[in-house]
Amino acid sequence: MQNIFLREDCDQFINRINQLNLDSKGLWGKMSVDQMFAHCNVAYEMVYDTIHPKPSGFLKFILKTLVKNKVVSDKPFSKNNQTAPQFIIAGNRDFEGEKNRLIAYLIKTQELGESEFDGKESHSFGKLTSKEWNNLFAKHLDHHLTQFGV
């Protein structure tokens, strides 16, 4: 798995993102490319912005128990997985705006580095190691870029 904290791996993700255009079509799923960018941005919004409510204690327990390992493991996501409600993107989005936000989030994450994320509290899963954060970010992004053929 690529390491989002390494400059060369981050640059590879950015190069893949830059291969997409407004007419790019997914190989599976229902999202348009602008929706996919907005969808991928949600993971970073949960780290850097305060626009998504945190799950309640019971829901957080369920997420940590049943979902966390699927999200932070090395095992790739399968196609057409169930999507959490806050990750569902309805309607059209600004392609360039969402693309530029995603690239900016990637660069910010890479520049902050592993040490910033080791033991950092996740919105939904509690404290994660930097490896778990990397798996969360890199696996999710790779899954959706692959979905769009890049």
Side-chain angles (χ1 to χ4, degrees):
M1 181 172 308
Q2 289 182 284
N3 186 338
I4 205 87
F5 300 115
L6 294 177
R7 175 89 189 253
E8 54 271 16
D9 287 359
C10 186
D11 287 346
Q12 286 178 14
F13 278 121
I14 293 169
N15 289 337
R16 290 170 70 189
I17 290 166
N18 282 326
Q19 291 177 43
L20 296 169
N21 60 58
L22 191 54
D23 297 323
S24 298
K25 302 289 184 217
L27 304 174
W28 71 84
K30 299 175 184 176
M31 286 190 285
S32 62
V33 68
D34 54 303
Q35 289 173 326
M36 181 272 288
F37 285 150
H39 168 89
C40 289
N41 280 328
V42 172
Y44 297 95
E45 290 169 354
M46 289 183 173
V47 174
Y48 299 118
D49 304 318
T50 57
I51 59 177
H52 299 282
K54 291 188 177 188
S56 65
F58 179 71
L59 180 56
K60 192 168 187 174
F61 172 77
I62 296 297
L63 290 170
K64 285 171 71 172
T65 305
L66 300 177
V67 178
K68 176 184 172 184
N69 287 336
K70 293 176 186 172
V71 173
V72 302
S73 74
D74 291 334
K75 184 178 177 189
F77 292 128
S78 58
K79 296 176 185 176
N80 299 312
N81 277 332
Q82 188 173 7
T83 304
Q86 61 270 39
F87 283 84
I88 296 172
I89 307 298
N92 294 329
R93 296 298 179 104
D94 173 20
F95 174 84
E96 287 297 329
E98 295 295 340
K99 175 182 162 182
N100 291 335
R101 272 192 338 125
L102 182 56
I103 291 170
Y105 281 136
L106 283 167
I107 291 169
K108 180 176 184 174
T109 303
Q110 186 274 314
E111 288 177 346
L112 287 171
E114 289 182 60
S115 62
E116 177 71 22
F117 284 85
D118 200 32
K120 185 175 184 67
E121 183 82 17
S122 160
H123 191 83
S124 302
F125 304 129
K127 289 185 179 183
L128 300 177
T129 67
S130 59
K131 183 177 192 287
E132 290 172 324
W133 277 109
N134 177 69
N135 290 353
L136 181 153
F137 289 138
K139 180 166 71 168
H140 186 235
L141 189 54
D142 180 66
H143 172 79
H144 288 295
L145 292 175
T146 300
Q147 176 186 14
F148 280 83
V150 295

